[in-house]
Amino acid sequence: MSDETELDPHNIFIKDPDEWMQYVYKQVNVLVEDGSEYTGWVYTIDPVSECIVLMTFNDNKTKMDIINGSSVSSISIMDEDTELHVKAKLNAMFRPKETSLLTEEELESLKKRLKLWLIKNRLPVQLTGNKDEILSISDALFIEPPYGADNCRSTNEIILGRIQGLIKNMPADHEDW
């Protein structure tokens, strides 16, 4: 096969994720190829399509722009959310309500209770995530706050179904055992 017929690898295999993460939860100005400019707070950037989700807050209105990554000419940071007010506001918009209504202590209690239940059922549970907020079972299944059956992620449907069933059948008083 000649060099001319080989395809260049997609940017997801070349670009460091930290390059994208530097913009998340920051106010940016995005210039696109047609000369248009967008200003807003970055909620997320899809690493495959490189689309940018920008949120703008004006008075009591919230606007979302999704900018096609292939049309972006440049991105510049205008402001950083040093007080984390914007991060909390964005997360409250896009996360389930039950998570945002629970205190840190309540979430910690739910995590501890579920972890004990999984260990009692002889499952290898580890804490993962930036703040050890995710329960992981052999890197095959992940349980995120608020630690219910609907908060499980796995690519293996059999494992997912069994762990969800186990969580649904967890007795309310199992900590006393």
Side-chain angles (χ1 to χ4, degrees):
M1 192 185 264
S2 71
D3 288 338
E4 295 174 352
T5 60
E6 290 184 28
L7 298 174
D8 289 333
H10 189 278
N11 272 350
I12 195 167
F13 299 110
I14 299 170
K15 201 164 204 165
D16 183 359
D18 287 338
E19 287 182 52
W20 291 125
M21 291 304 295
Q22 71 175 323
Y23 300 114
V24 176
Y25 300 121
K26 295 184 180 149
Q27 187 178 37
V28 299
N29 184 288
V30 179
L31 181 63
V32 294
E33 290 175 344
D34 70 0
S36 301
E37 283 187 56
Y38 296 88
T39 300
W41 293 89
V42 177
Y43 178 65
T44 191
I45 300 176
D46 177 53
V48 177
S49 67
E50 300 179 357
C51 287
I52 302 168
V53 177
L54 278 186
M55 302 301 296
T56 309
F57 308 104
N58 292 324
D59 301 321
N60 291 329
K61 296 181 182 179
T62 302
K63 178 182 169 192
M64 179 188 334
D65 289 305
I66 300 175
I67 303 166
N68 190 342
S70 62
S71 68
V72 173
S73 298
S74 68
I75 304 173
S76 56
I77 296 173
M78 298 174 60
D79 189 11
E80 296 191 24
D81 185 25
T82 55
E83 300 294 318
L84 303 178
H85 296 298
V86 174
K87 180 178 181 179
K89 189 173 187 176
L90 289 171
N91 287 339
M93 291 174 64
F94 292 101
R95 299 234 170 119
K97 293 286 183 215
E98 67 253 15
T99 304
S100 59
L101 296 177
L102 297 172
T103 66
E104 290 292 323
E105 293 79 23
E106 290 170 323
L107 283 173
E108 190 62 33
S109 175
L110 289 170
K111 178 176 70 173
K112 179 182 175 188
R113 184 172 169 262
L114 179 56
K115 182 180 177 188
L116 290 172
W117 175 245
L118 295 170
I119 290 170
K120 179 176 177 28
N121 284 276
R122 303 186 194 291
L123 292 167
V125 182
Q126 294 179 342
L127 298 175
T128 62
N130 293 337
K131 298 177 184 174
D132 287 340
E133 76 277 13
I134 299 172
L135 297 173
S136 170
I137 301 173
S138 300
D139 290 330
L141 182 128
F142 302 92
I143 308 168
E144 300 172 333
Y147 309 105
D150 294 333
N151 307 111
C152 298
R153 289 186 292 117
S154 178
T155 56
N156 185 318
E157 292 294 323
I158 295 169
I159 292 172
L160 180 63
R162 295 215 174 146
I163 300 299
Q164 286 177 322
L166 188 63
I167 293 171
K168 287 176 184 174
N169 291 316
M170 179 173 60
D173 63 348
H174 89 87
E175 281 184 310
D176 299 333
W177 298 353

